[in-house]
């Protein structure tokens, strides 16, 4: 073990992220403004840990002033959240803006400006309006692509003067993978074709919003990107069958978005395999041209854990509809370092490996870590008896090690522009709700959701002020 110090370059983002639905709560929400998440919570509430969910969340809607002051106290340079599409309109088809909700966004953006925190906004972080699911089957429909572009147009018209970093989606692969591919979330419909249709329509919607952003000239003072969650995928062994499993896992879950959004094209191998397995989706040459001509300016990448796979050990049941798991099985590395609360392996070098991949395979496009963090169950056990403050040294260590690999990759030419922690405060996760705590700031559910800085919040502040990361590393990790 040895001590290492590495400088944080000027302009490097040191921020934190959250989303609208995971923080704001339902105050002020009008009837007819449910999102996909609200529907899921209402229809299948028993799976949400202790019944907590989006209904109250952290009550950011009322407490944003306090929270922005805590952003400042934690040394954040940037804060990323989303606009809640389902709440932004009172009529999604006519694009009639909910003035009350828009005024709330204006106020928290103004407050951030006052405190010198730069906002980054996503247009969608799973907040697809329930109305569009019920009427059009959500992203199955090209009409929803059009309505998303209308939404983007209205949002840019209002807020482009206050926000310069925009993103279309956060983790666009997630909802349809859990709902239509794995069928483990409400409404439990296994449908691989629908999964691919949703992927395609989100890719197309991004390209159309990029096109709009540039056509209207917002690119003269801003940028438009997307937040993706490619999982750094490692094969169990160097044997060809395991490497092929990793290659195909990467193709179906990572390159399905990385390639069209950054390079402007779906991998031909993906299209061929979908065809081979009778997975059909509706796309046209004209749509592919829109995707080709409107790639994103930058990508935010959410990185939490390595994904390890091996070749399947058993044959596929012919009666089972095609699922990419036809080609792989998950693999658990013996002796792996774990965050047992979340069940995720900890392997900070994923950051470096992703950085090098973006450098060599994706033209070194500007990117940043848009989420990385550690959710811990029963975090109260780490509270200092005298001060009452949570001593989250494990989080400090986790952040330091991941940030180290980002800075090291940058020294080697990677175009990584920043690090954002998930999350700023503890907040609601899909299903796990407040079970695993992620924040720099504690939310006390037993005491009116009062906020308290954790040790990591003070550490983050000193990191940000000093511009130097100091940590202890295993010698083989340097
Ligand atoms: C990301 C999501 C976040 C957040 C985070 C933590 O995938 O973008 O919204 O929830 O994961 O993971 P989890 O909530 O599953 O613990």
């Amino acid at each position: 073990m040895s001590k290492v110090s590495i400088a944080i370059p000027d302009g490097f983002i040191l921020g934190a992220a959250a989303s609208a639905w995971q923080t704001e709560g339902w105050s002020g929400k009008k009837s007819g403004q449910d999102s996909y998440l609200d529907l899921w919570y209402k229809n299948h509430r028993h799976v949400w840990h202790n019944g907590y969910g989006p209904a109250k969340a952290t009550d950011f809607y009322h407490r944003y002033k306090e929270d922005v002051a805590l952003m400042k106290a934690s040394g954040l340079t940037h804060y990323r959240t989303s606009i809640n599409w389902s709440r932004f309109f009172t009529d999604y088809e006519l694009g009639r803006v909910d003035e009350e909700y828009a005024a709330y966004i204006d106020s928290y953006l103004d407050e951030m400006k006052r405190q010198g925190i730069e906002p980054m906004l996503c247009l969608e972080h799973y907040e697809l309006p329930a109305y569009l699911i019920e009427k059009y089957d959500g992203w199955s429909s090209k009409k929803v692509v059009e309505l998303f572009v209308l939404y983007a147009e209205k949002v840019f018209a209002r807020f482009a003067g206050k926000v310069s970093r925009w993103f279309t989606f956060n983790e666009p692969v997630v909802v349809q993978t859990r709902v239509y591919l794995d069928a483990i979330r409400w409404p439990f419909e296994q449908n691989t074709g629908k999964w691919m249709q949703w992927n395609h329509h989100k890719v197309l919607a991004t390209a159309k919003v990029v096109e709009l952003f540039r056509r209207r000239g917002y690119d003269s003072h801003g940028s438009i990107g997307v937040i993706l969650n490619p999982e750094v995928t490692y094969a169990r062994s160097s044997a060809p069958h395991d490497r092929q499993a990793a290659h195909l896992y990467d193709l179906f879950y990572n390159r399905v978005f990385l390639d069209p959004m950054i390079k402007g094209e779906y991998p031909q191998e993906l299209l061929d395999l979908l065809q081979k397995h009778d997975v059909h989706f509706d796309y046209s040459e004209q749509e592919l041209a829109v995707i080709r001509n409107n790639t994103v300016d930058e990508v935010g990448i959410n990185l939490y854990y390595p994904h390890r796979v091996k070749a399947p050990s058993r044959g596929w049941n012919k009666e089972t509809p095609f699922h990419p798991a036809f080609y792989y099985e998950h693999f658990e590395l013996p002796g792996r370092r774990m965050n047992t609360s979340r069940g995720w392996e900890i392997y900070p070098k994923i950051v470096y490996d992703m950085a090098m991949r973006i450098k060599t395979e994706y033209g070194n496009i500007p990117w940043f870590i848009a989420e990385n963090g550690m959710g811990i169950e029963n975090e109260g056990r780490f509270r200092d008896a005298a001060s009452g403050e949570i001593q989250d040294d494990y989080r400090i260590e986790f952040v330091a090690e991941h940030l180290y690999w980002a800075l090291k990759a940058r020294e080697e030419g990677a175009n990584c522009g920043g690090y954002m922690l998930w999350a700023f405060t503890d907040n609601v996760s899909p299903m796990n709700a407040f079970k695993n705590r992620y924040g720099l700031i504690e939310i006390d559910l037993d005491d009116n959701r009062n906020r308290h800085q954790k040790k990591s919040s003070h550490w983050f502040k000193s990191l940000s002020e000093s511009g130097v990361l100091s940590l202890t590393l295993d010698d083989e990790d340097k």
Side-chain angles (χ1 to χ4, degrees), residues 58-286:
T58 68
D59 199 23
F60 184 81
Y61 191 84
H62 291 119
R63 301 180 76 153
Y64 62 84
K65 280 203 176 138
E66 197 182 333
D67 281 354
V68 175
L70 286 165
M71 289 174 201
K72 177 92 177 162
S74 306
L76 303 192
T77 59
H78 292 66
Y79 174 69
R80 170 172 74 92
T81 186
S82 57
I83 293 185
N84 191 332
W85 183 9
S86 64
R87 295 191 57 174
F88 190 68
F89 290 129
T90 53
D91 188 317
Y92 305 105
E93 311 225 26
L94 297 176
R96 199 167 284 142
V97 175
D98 182 330
E99 292 300 336
E100 206 186 324
Y101 185 70
Y104 146 77
I105 296 169
D106 260 322
S107 316
Y108 78 68
L109 291 176
D110 291 344
E111 191 60 27
M112 286 174 68
K113 182 151 196 214
R114 262 195 291 281
Q115 297 278 20
I117 318 278
E118 200 182 317
M120 297 161 90
L121 287 184
C122 243
L123 295 172
E124 203 252 33
H125 192 128
Y126 318 152
E127 298 108 343
L128 170 66
Y131 170 88
L132 300 181
I133 300 179
E134 281 153 8
K135 182 151 182 200
Y136 298 110
D137 202 20
W139 289 102
S140 305
S141 162
K142 300 204 187 285
K143 178 74 180 173
V144 170
V145 176
E146 257 174 57
L147 294 177
F148 185 74
V149 179
L150 173 70
Y151 162 53
E153 188 183 342
K154 299 281 178 182
V155 167
F156 295 153
R158 291 216 170 208
F159 303 116
K162 294 187 177 182
V163 178
S164 59
R165 304 277 280 272
W166 292 97
F167 303 89
T168 53
F169 295 92
N170 175 80
E171 301 194 350
V173 76
V174 164
V175 172
Q176 63 272 23
T177 298
R178 303 281 174 272
V179 173
Y180 299 120
L181 195 58
D182 301 337
I184 51 168
R185 283 187 190 168
W186 182 89
F188 310 108
E189 176 190 346
Q190 205 297 325
N191 187 335
T192 308
K194 193 187 258 198
W195 170 75
M196 190 57 210
Q197 191 69 62
W198 279 46
N199 291 339
H200 172 62
H201 282 158
K202 290 182 181 184
V203 168
L204 180 63
T206 292
K208 289 192 166 202
V209 169
V210 169
E211 191 275 327
L212 169 88
F213 192 82
R214 292 179 184 149
R215 181 159 40 85
R216 296 284 167 85
Y218 296 121
D219 56 339
S220 65
H221 54 278
S223 60
I224 177 86
V226 66
I227 310 286
L228 300 177
N229 57 317
E231 293 169 312
V232 184
T233 307
Y234 301 99
R236 167 181 58 174
S237 76
S238 57
H241 61 300
D242 283 336
R243 288 170 56 176
Q244 178 68 355
H247 169 74
L248 292 177
Y249 184 91
D250 181 57
L251 182 73
F252 279 101
Y253 296 107
N254 299 338
R255 292 181 59 200
V256 64
F257 281 101
L258 281 170
D259 280 33
M261 287 181 165
I262 301 176
K263 296 179 173 173
E265 277 184 342
Y266 290 114
Q268 190 56 46
E269 188 182 3
L270 175 67
L271 299 178
D272 291 347
L273 284 175
L274 291 170
Q275 182 101 33
K276 174 177 162 191
H277 290 288
D278 269 333
V279 177
H280 302 291
F281 67 106
D282 179 9
Y283 67 99
S284 67
E285 281 309 316
Q286 197 207 353

Side-chain angles (χ1 to χ4, degrees), residues 18-19 21-22 80 125-126 170-171 174 178 185 227 229 302 304-305 342 344 371 373 375 422-423 427-433 436 438:
S19 72
W21 79 269
Q22 288 170 285
R80 170 172 74 92
H125 192 128
Y126 318 152
N170 175 80
E171 301 194 350
V174 164
R178 303 281 174 272
R185 283 187 190 168
I227 310 286
N229 57 317
N302 296 350
Y304 286 89
Y305 52 84
R342 189 62 184 80
W344 285 343
E371 284 180 27
W422 185 270
N427 66 31
V428 174
S429 286
M431 232 157 65
N432 280 334
N436 300 319
Y438 279 94

